[in-house]
Amino acid sequence: MRAARLIKMVLLLQARPAMTAAELARELEVSERTVARDAQALSEAGVPVYADRGRVGGYRLVGGYRTRLTGLARSEAEALFLSGVPGALREMGLEDAASAARLKVAAALQPALHDTPRTAAQRFHLDAPAWFSEPPTPESLPTVAEAVWDDRTVLARYRRGPADADVERTLEPYGLVLKAGVWYLCARVPEHTGPGPFRVYRVDRFTSVQVSEGRFTRDDTFDLPAFWAERAAQFARSILRAEIVVRLSAEGVRRLPYAVDPVAARDALAAGGEPDDQGLVTVTLAVESAEVAHTQLAALGAEAEVLAPPELRARFARDARRLTALYTA
């Protein structure tokens, strides 16, 4: 989108004394010819961009020029990055900040670009929660989000399960993740010997959260997306504790990733080898349990034949006899 690129170009030049066309092209992921056209467009729109020729030349802003975009407050700027997730903003108590940020950006755009926010909103939208469920917003979420933004430690009471007693923990809240409508907090427990390991907590299991006045020093090496991806993979592997053997038709191969865990399906199909002379593929599939596998594979119908374990195969055979009796009566 050209509007976003023009804004980024101004901010880049505002942050540095000068940049060559090659440097700008690399940062903006465009050609040097496009950089020249964008600089001309900015100049015509009133942004004082000029180019110096020569060995030490480059693009510059007239000294002292500041774009109005820097008038954003910290909370508004942070909220703007989440503006594609309106439900998440509302639940974290940032809806007003995001609205103010969008208004400031719209005011800073040139007249020809004023419809950019509307056209973007009508073309892209992220709906995070899963289908057929409306998980309630955790009462403590706005408080936790405030602590995450400000790097403040919290004293939290947490319940691991419905029958468990609350445990009290001092936490350093690093980041929030919204997964299929459920909020998770990635946090670290400070220990006497130094920082402890990062852990994951369901926000709806906090029974109380108190934000302290003290701030903690973030570990700059912590990467929230990478941490979450690794932890999610560990969780998926930890619950797939059983194995079954299944023979699949070509249609069964195609539909398997939609019926079971996609990673388990991918691994099973990769190790399954080539189809036999009947076009069938035999795979060993990791599953949570035979009970769960029965529910999942039932969606594939006759496109999947369970070969092992015998108990699961017998259960599908009983299902087949019941269906035959039901539909031939």
Side-chain angles (χ1 to χ4, degrees):
M1 295 171 62
R2 194 183 188 202
R5 191 175 71 241
L6 292 173
I7 292 171
K8 184 176 181 180
M9 184 174 180
V10 173
L11 294 176
L12 285 169
L13 294 174
Q14 183 173 294
R16 307 180 192 181
M19 294 184 69
T20 66
E23 290 171 337
L24 282 168
R26 184 168 56 251
E27 290 281 354
L28 300 172
E29 299 180 345
V30 296
S31 66
E32 293 185 27
R33 185 183 296 274
T34 299
V35 168
R37 286 199 295 265
D38 286 352
Q40 180 66 28
L42 287 170
S43 179
E44 292 174 354
V47 178
V49 179
Y50 70 98
D52 282 338
R53 299 184 180 277
R55 186 173 59 84
V56 293
Y59 289 92
R60 290 178 169 82
L61 291 174
V62 171
Y65 177 82
R66 307 294 294 178
T67 172
R68 285 179 289 172
L69 284 174
T70 54
L72 291 172
R74 177 182 176 83
S75 62
E76 295 167 349
E78 290 167 335
L80 186 60
F81 287 100
L82 294 173
S83 59
V85 196
L89 286 168
R90 183 173 55 255
E91 292 177 6
M92 287 191 292
L94 295 173
E95 189 173 30
D96 290 343
S99 177
R102 287 192 292 268
L103 287 173
K104 288 184 177 181
V105 172
L109 295 175
Q110 297 301 322
L113 306 176
H114 277 174
D115 67 339
T116 301
R118 180 184 59 80
T119 56
Q122 294 303 319
R123 286 165 173 79
F124 301 99
H125 175 68
L126 176 61
D127 184 8
W131 287 103
F132 311 119
S133 64
E134 287 291 338
T137 302
E139 292 183 6
S140 59
L141 180 60
T143 304
V144 173
E146 177 187 354
V148 169
W149 288 128
D150 292 341
D151 294 338
R152 294 187 183 274
T153 57
V154 299
L155 181 63
R157 297 186 66 85
Y158 186 76
R159 183 169 298 169
R160 293 191 177 94
D164 296 328
D166 290 0
V167 295
E168 192 170 83
R169 292 284 187 273
T170 297
L171 301 176
E172 296 176 347
Y174 269 69
L176 283 163
V177 175
L178 178 61
K179 172 69 172 178
V182 179
W183 285 96
Y184 296 88
L185 174 68
C186 302
R188 188 156 64 177
V189 179
E191 299 176 351
H192 295 299
T193 56
F198 288 100
R199 299 173 182 173
V200 176
Y201 302 85
R202 278 185 61 143
V203 177
D204 59 4
R205 292 183 182 172
F206 286 121
T207 56
S208 70
V209 177
Q210 296 178 9
V211 181
S212 72
E213 292 298 321
R215 286 186 168 87
F216 63 91
T217 302
R218 291 181 68 91
D219 181 351
D220 291 337
T221 65
F222 178 75
D223 184 329
L224 180 60
F227 170 79
W228 179 259
E230 180 182 358
R231 187 56 60 91
Q234 290 175 354
F235 175 75
R237 288 193 295 269
S238 71
I239 65 173
L240 301 178
R241 300 173 180 172
E243 287 187 343
I244 64 173
V245 180
V246 187
R247 187 155 51 208
L248 301 164
S249 67
E251 179 64 12
V253 168
R254 186 187 70 81
R255 290 164 52 186
L256 185 66
Y258 302 99
V260 303
D261 179 79
V263 175
R266 182 191 63 203
D267 293 345
L269 293 172
E274 297 297 322
D276 61 18
D277 55 1
Q278 295 181 303
L280 304 176
V281 176
T282 299
V283 301
T284 300
L285 178 68
V287 296
E288 185 174 347
S289 66
E291 182 72 26
V292 172
H294 175 261
T295 301
Q296 293 174 329
L297 293 180
L300 299 183
E303 308 302 332
E305 177 189 2
V306 174
L307 303 180
E311 298 82 8
L312 183 58
R313 179 179 175 85
R315 185 167 182 175
F316 274 103
R318 288 195 298 271
D319 290 346
R321 289 193 294 272
R322 291 178 61 193
L323 285 171
T324 299
L326 182 63
Y327 285 100
T328 58

